[in-house]
Amino acid sequence: MRTTKTSTDASVTTAAARKNFSDLINRVAYGRDRVVLTRRNKPLVAVVPIEDIALIEEIEDREDLKAARAALREAKRKGTKSWEQLKKELRL
């Protein structure tokens, strides 16, 4: 679910964001801006379009699936231990 970004990224202080919250939300939602909120000239958080979040979650899901498949391959290669064996080894 990709979107085309039409405008440039921007930084806004948290005070300015609070003062102009509805404008900020509209900029992000309809203008597809990505806005970094700053405090004391340091980046704090980002406000991004919902499509960006969906894309991030899709990427995370793919990475999780890749890691799970790798773990299954390793378990096949090296074998596994029972919960009882692990408890014994860890003295639980």
Side-chain angles (χ1 to χ4, degrees):
M1 182 183 295
R2 293 192 175 224
T3 60
T4 304
K5 218 165 112 15
T6 57
S7 52
T8 60
D9 294 339
S11 292
V12 175
T13 65
T14 54
R18 191 177 311 115
K19 191 175 186 180
N20 303 300
F21 188 69
S22 61
D23 291 336
L24 174 70
I25 296 303
N26 286 333
R27 244 175 92 179
V28 172
Y30 302 111
R32 302 291 184 242
D33 282 357
R34 296 174 182 147
V35 180
V36 175
L37 301 186
T38 62
R39 185 178 289 153
R40 296 182 190 93
N41 294 318
K42 294 182 182 176
L44 186 63
V45 298
V47 182
V48 298
I50 197 68
E51 294 87 359
D52 287 9
I53 298 301
L55 181 59
I56 289 168
E57 288 175 349
E58 184 180 325
I59 291 167
E60 287 175 340
D61 289 347
R62 287 181 189 173
E63 291 300 312
D64 289 345
L65 186 57
K66 191 187 314 181
R69 286 179 176 153
L72 287 172
R73 282 191 303 272
E74 181 180 352
K76 272 187 174 179
R77 248 186 5 260
K78 294 183 176 181
T80 59
K81 293 182 180 183
S82 71
W83 176 237
E84 293 304 319
Q85 285 175 305
L86 286 173
K87 286 194 303 188
K88 187 176 180 180
E89 286 179 20
L90 296 172
R91 296 186 176 127
L92 297 177

mmCIF file of all heavy atoms in Angstrom, residues 5 8-17 24 27-28 33-39 41-49:
data_model
loop_
_atom_site.group_PDB
_atom_site.id
_atom_site.type_symbol
_atom_site.label_atom_id
_atom_site.label_comp_id
_atom_site.label_asym_id
_atom_site.label_seq_id
_atom_site.Cartn_x
_atom_site.Cartn_y
_atom_site.Cartn_z
ATOM 1 N N LYS A 5 4.282 10.769 -2.077
ATOM 2 C CA LYS A 5 4.388 11.937 -1.237
ATOM 3 C C LYS A 5 4.525 13.160 -2.125
ATOM 4 O O LYS A 5 5.376 13.204 -2.989
ATOM 5 C CB LYS A 5 5.604 11.803 -0.321
ATOM 6 C CG LYS A 5 5.341 12.342 1.038
ATOM 7 C CD LYS A 5 6.392 11.878 1.984
ATOM 8 C CE LYS A 5 7.258 12.996 2.439
ATOM 9 N NZ LYS A 5 6.829 14.320 2.222
ATOM 10 N N THR A 8 7.248 18.201 0.917
ATOM 11 C CA THR A 8 8.473 17.869 1.633
ATOM 12 C C THR A 8 8.212 17.618 3.104
ATOM 13 O O THR A 8 7.231 18.098 3.671
ATOM 14 C CB THR A 8 9.493 19.021 1.498
ATOM 15 O OG1 THR A 8 8.904 20.200 2.059
ATOM 16 C CG2 THR A 8 9.860 19.271 0.059
ATOM 17 N N ASP A 9 9.110 16.859 3.712
ATOM 18 C CA ASP A 9 9.020 16.631 5.152
ATOM 19 C C ASP A 9 9.247 17.955 5.868
ATOM 20 O O ASP A 9 9.939 18.834 5.371
ATOM 21 C CB ASP A 9 10.087 15.635 5.600
ATOM 22 C CG ASP A 9 9.849 14.254 5.031
ATOM 23 O OD1 ASP A 9 8.708 13.967 4.646
ATOM 24 O OD2 ASP A 9 10.802 13.471 4.985
ATOM 25 N N ALA A 10 8.669 18.071 7.060
ATOM 26 C CA ALA A 10 8.797 19.317 7.796
ATOM 27 C C ALA A 10 9.014 19.027 9.262
ATOM 28 O O ALA A 10 8.666 17.960 9.760
ATOM 29 C CB ALA A 10 7.542 20.155 7.612
ATOM 30 N N SER A 11 9.581 20.002 9.954
ATOM 31 C CA SER A 11 9.716 19.935 11.404
ATOM 32 C C SER A 11 8.863 21.034 12.007
ATOM 33 O O SER A 11 8.802 22.152 11.478
ATOM 34 C CB SER A 11 11.169 20.156 11.831
ATOM 35 O OG SER A 11 11.967 19.083 11.411
ATOM 36 N N VAL A 12 8.213 20.704 13.113
ATOM 37 C CA VAL A 12 7.357 21.654 13.814
ATOM 38 C C VAL A 12 7.614 21.463 15.300
ATOM 39 O O VAL A 12 7.744 20.326 15.764
ATOM 40 C CB VAL A 12 5.868 21.387 13.498
ATOM 41 C CG1 VAL A 12 4.954 22.276 14.309
ATOM 42 C CG2 VAL A 12 5.585 21.543 12.021
ATOM 43 N N THR A 13 7.682 22.535 16.035
ATOM 44 C CA THR A 13 7.850 22.403 17.486
ATOM 45 C C THR A 13 6.569 21.840 18.089
ATOM 46 O O THR A 13 5.481 21.999 17.525
ATOM 47 C CB THR A 13 8.168 23.756 18.151
ATOM 48 O OG1 THR A 13 7.033 24.615 17.999
ATOM 49 C CG2 THR A 13 9.409 24.405 17.550
ATOM 50 N N THR A 14 6.711 21.195 19.231
ATOM 51 C CA THR A 14 5.518 20.654 19.886
ATOM 52 C C THR A 14 4.558 21.776 20.283
ATOM 53 O O THR A 14 3.345 21.593 20.228
ATOM 54 C CB THR A 14 5.897 19.810 21.118
ATOM 55 O OG1 THR A 14 6.718 20.587 21.994
ATOM 56 C CG2 THR A 14 6.624 18.541 20.717
ATOM 57 N N ALA A 15 5.101 22.920 20.643
ATOM 58 C CA ALA A 15 4.235 24.051 21.006
ATOM 59 C C ALA A 15 3.418 24.513 19.802
ATOM 60 O O ALA A 15 2.209 24.758 19.912
ATOM 61 C CB ALA A 15 5.079 25.200 21.557
ATOM 62 N N ALA A 16 4.069 24.619 18.636
ATOM 63 C CA ALA A 16 3.357 25.028 17.426
ATOM 64 C C ALA A 16 2.349 23.963 17.005
ATOM 65 O O ALA A 16 1.245 24.285 16.545
ATOM 66 C CB ALA A 16 4.350 25.299 16.295
ATOM 67 N N ALA A 17 2.708 22.707 17.168
ATOM 68 C CA ALA A 17 1.791 21.619 16.815
ATOM 69 C C ALA A 17 0.547 21.674 17.696
ATOM 70 O O ALA A 17 -0.576 21.490 17.215
ATOM 71 C CB ALA A 17 2.494 20.277 16.967
ATOM 72 N N LEU A 24 -2.256 20.759 11.438
ATOM 73 C CA LEU A 24 -1.216 19.729 11.343
ATOM 74 C C LEU A 24 -1.824 18.401 10.892
ATOM 75 O O LEU A 24 -1.310 17.748 9.976
ATOM 76 C CB LEU A 24 -0.513 19.566 12.688
ATOM 77 C CG LEU A 24 0.499 18.431 12.787
ATOM 78 C CD1 LEU A 24 1.725 18.743 11.944
ATOM 79 C CD2 LEU A 24 0.890 18.204 14.225
ATOM 80 N N ARG A 27 -2.769 18.563 7.266
ATOM 81 C CA ARG A 27 -1.558 18.502 6.428
ATOM 82 C C ARG A 27 -1.106 17.072 6.215
ATOM 83 O O ARG A 27 -0.731 16.672 5.118
ATOM 84 C CB ARG A 27 -0.430 19.255 7.144
ATOM 85 C CG ARG A 27 0.075 20.456 6.451
ATOM 86 C CD ARG A 27 1.080 21.147 7.328
ATOM 87 N NE ARG A 27 2.421 20.681 7.036
ATOM 88 C CZ ARG A 27 3.482 21.135 7.654
ATOM 89 N NH1 ARG A 27 3.382 22.027 8.612
ATOM 90 N NH2 ARG A 27 4.667 20.698 7.325
ATOM 91 N N VAL A 28 -1.133 16.304 7.292
ATOM 92 C CA VAL A 28 -0.679 14.921 7.235
ATOM 93 C C VAL A 28 -1.705 14.044 6.529
ATOM 94 O O VAL A 28 -1.373 13.260 5.636
ATOM 95 C CB VAL A 28 -0.369 14.394 8.655
ATOM 96 C CG1 VAL A 28 -0.073 12.903 8.626
ATOM 97 C CG2 VAL A 28 0.800 15.168 9.259
ATOM 98 N N ASP A 33 1.875 14.879 4.101
ATOM 99 C CA ASP A 33 3.133 15.320 4.697
ATOM 100 C C ASP A 33 3.538 14.369 5.808
ATOM 101 O O ASP A 33 2.694 13.716 6.421
ATOM 102 C CB ASP A 33 2.987 16.714 5.306
ATOM 103 C CG ASP A 33 3.014 17.828 4.284
ATOM 104 O OD1 ASP A 33 3.195 17.535 3.092
ATOM 105 O OD2 ASP A 33 2.854 18.988 4.686
ATOM 106 N N ARG A 34 4.807 14.307 6.071
ATOM 107 C CA ARG A 34 5.349 13.643 7.251
ATOM 108 C C ARG A 34 5.964 14.757 8.084
ATOM 109 O O ARG A 34 6.841 15.461 7.610
ATOM 110 C CB ARG A 34 6.415 12.629 6.862
ATOM 111 C CG ARG A 34 5.859 11.494 6.041
ATOM 112 C CD ARG A 34 6.973 10.597 5.569
ATOM 113 N NE ARG A 34 6.421 9.536 4.736
ATOM 114 C CZ ARG A 34 7.060 9.007 3.716
ATOM 115 N NH1 ARG A 34 8.271 9.435 3.410
ATOM 116 N NH2 ARG A 34 6.493 8.052 3.018
ATOM 117 N N VAL A 35 5.484 14.906 9.300
ATOM 118 C CA VAL A 35 5.909 16.033 10.125
ATOM 119 C C VAL A 35 6.604 15.510 11.376
ATOM 120 O O VAL A 35 6.059 14.683 12.097
ATOM 121 C CB VAL A 35 4.704 16.910 10.523
ATOM 122 C CG1 VAL A 35 5.158 18.080 11.385
ATOM 123 C CG2 VAL A 35 3.965 17.412 9.277
ATOM 124 N N VAL A 36 7.810 15.986 11.595
ATOM 125 C CA VAL A 36 8.580 15.632 12.785
ATOM 126 C C VAL A 36 8.333 16.717 13.822
ATOM 127 O O VAL A 36 8.534 17.901 13.558
ATOM 128 C CB VAL A 36 10.088 15.521 12.462
ATOM 129 C CG1 VAL A 36 10.895 15.285 13.732
ATOM 130 C CG2 VAL A 36 10.328 14.431 11.437
ATOM 131 N N LEU A 37 7.872 16.295 14.998
ATOM 132 C CA LEU A 37 7.673 17.251 16.082
ATOM 133 C C LEU A 37 8.957 17.309 16.892
ATOM 134 O O LEU A 37 9.542 16.271 17.220
ATOM 135 C CB LEU A 37 6.503 16.824 16.965
ATOM 136 C CG LEU A 37 5.151 16.679 16.269
ATOM 137 C CD1 LEU A 37 4.057 16.391 17.286
ATOM 138 C CD2 LEU A 37 4.817 17.891 15.447
ATOM 139 N N THR A 38 9.371 18.524 17.206
ATOM 140 C CA THR A 38 10.626 18.731 17.935
ATOM 141 C C THR A 38 10.358 19.406 19.270
ATOM 142 O O THR A 38 9.365 20.109 19.444
ATOM 143 C CB THR A 38 11.603 19.600 17.119
ATOM 144 O OG1 THR A 38 11.017 20.888 16.895
ATOM 145 C CG2 THR A 38 11.942 18.957 15.793
ATOM 146 N N ARG A 39 11.273 19.157 20.180
ATOM 147 C CA ARG A 39 11.261 19.843 21.469
ATOM 148 C C ARG A 39 12.703 20.203 21.763
ATOM 149 O O ARG A 39 13.581 19.352 21.701
ATOM 150 C CB ARG A 39 10.699 18.943 22.558
ATOM 151 C CG ARG A 39 10.565 19.655 23.901
ATOM 152 C CD ARG A 39 9.968 18.773 24.972
ATOM 153 N NE ARG A 39 8.557 18.549 24.689
ATOM 154 C CZ ARG A 39 7.893 17.474 25.087
ATOM 155 N NH1 ARG A 39 8.499 16.512 25.745
ATOM 156 N NH2 ARG A 39 6.606 17.341 24.810
ATOM 157 N N ASN A 41 14.692 21.773 19.884
ATOM 158 C CA ASN A 41 15.420 21.523 18.635
ATOM 159 C C ASN A 41 15.844 20.073 18.432
ATOM 160 O O ASN A 41 16.721 19.784 17.626
ATOM 161 C CB ASN A 41 16.649 22.434 18.512
ATOM 162 C CG ASN A 41 16.250 23.884 18.380
ATOM 163 O OD1 ASN A 41 15.304 24.206 17.663
ATOM 164 N ND2 ASN A 41 16.948 24.761 19.075
ATOM 165 N N LYS A 42 15.234 19.152 19.173
ATOM 166 C CA LYS A 42 15.543 17.733 19.004
ATOM 167 C C LYS A 42 14.294 17.002 18.515
ATOM 168 O O LYS A 42 13.202 17.222 19.039
ATOM 169 C CB LYS A 42 16.018 17.118 20.321
ATOM 170 C CG LYS A 42 17.346 17.673 20.783
ATOM 171 C CD LYS A 42 17.795 16.995 22.047
ATOM 172 C CE LYS A 42 19.124 17.624 22.487
ATOM 173 N NZ LYS A 42 19.559 17.080 23.754
ATOM 174 N N PRO A 43 14.441 16.130 17.512
ATOM 175 C CA PRO A 43 13.297 15.350 17.033
ATOM 176 C C PRO A 43 12.718 14.508 18.169
ATOM 177 O O PRO A 43 13.462 13.881 18.937
ATOM 178 C CB PRO A 43 13.886 14.448 15.949
ATOM 179 C CG PRO A 43 15.207 15.035 15.612
ATOM 180 C CD PRO A 43 15.671 15.796 16.804
ATOM 181 N N LEU A 44 11.396 14.512 18.286
ATOM 182 C CA LEU A 44 10.736 13.806 19.381
ATOM 183 C C LEU A 44 9.832 12.694 18.856
ATOM 184 O O LEU A 44 9.962 11.542 19.263
ATOM 185 C CB LEU A 44 9.930 14.810 20.203
ATOM 186 C CG LEU A 44 9.273 14.331 21.471
ATOM 187 C CD1 LEU A 44 10.311 13.862 22.478
ATOM 188 C CD2 LEU A 44 8.436 15.461 22.075
ATOM 189 N N VAL A 45 8.944 13.019 17.963
ATOM 190 C CA VAL A 45 8.016 12.055 17.362
ATOM 191 C C VAL A 45 7.712 12.509 15.939
ATOM 192 O O VAL A 45 8.031 13.622 15.552
ATOM 193 C CB VAL A 45 6.686 11.927 18.144
ATOM 194 C CG1 VAL A 45 6.920 11.416 19.549
ATOM 195 C CG2 VAL A 45 5.932 13.235 18.153
ATOM 196 N N ALA A 46 7.060 11.606 15.203
ATOM 197 C CA ALA A 46 6.634 11.963 13.848
ATOM 198 C C ALA A 46 5.138 11.741 13.725
ATOM 199 O O ALA A 46 4.586 10.807 14.300
ATOM 200 C CB ALA A 46 7.380 11.125 12.818
ATOM 201 N N VAL A 47 4.506 12.602 12.962
ATOM 202 C CA VAL A 47 3.102 12.431 12.605
ATOM 203 C C VAL A 47 3.117 12.088 11.122
ATOM 204 O O VAL A 47 3.642 12.847 10.305
ATOM 205 C CB VAL A 47 2.281 13.716 12.864
ATOM 206 C CG1 VAL A 47 0.820 13.495 12.526
ATOM 207 C CG2 VAL A 47 2.446 14.178 14.315
ATOM 208 N N VAL A 48 2.574 10.902 10.806
ATOM 209 C CA VAL A 48 2.641 10.411 9.428
ATOM 210 C C VAL A 48 1.269 9.950 8.967
ATOM 211 O O VAL A 48 0.415 9.608 9.789
ATOM 212 C CB VAL A 48 3.653 9.250 9.292
ATOM 213 C CG1 VAL A 48 5.062 9.712 9.658
ATOM 214 C CG2 VAL A 48 3.246 8.069 10.138
ATOM 215 N N PRO A 49 1.049 9.905 7.671
ATOM 216 C CA PRO A 49 -0.228 9.396 7.162
ATOM 217 C C PRO A 49 -0.442 7.938 7.564
ATOM 218 O O PRO A 49 0.521 7.179 7.728
ATOM 219 C CB PRO A 49 -0.084 9.515 5.641
ATOM 220 C CG PRO A 49 0.997 10.504 5.428
ATOM 221 C CD PRO A 49 1.927 10.362 6.603
#
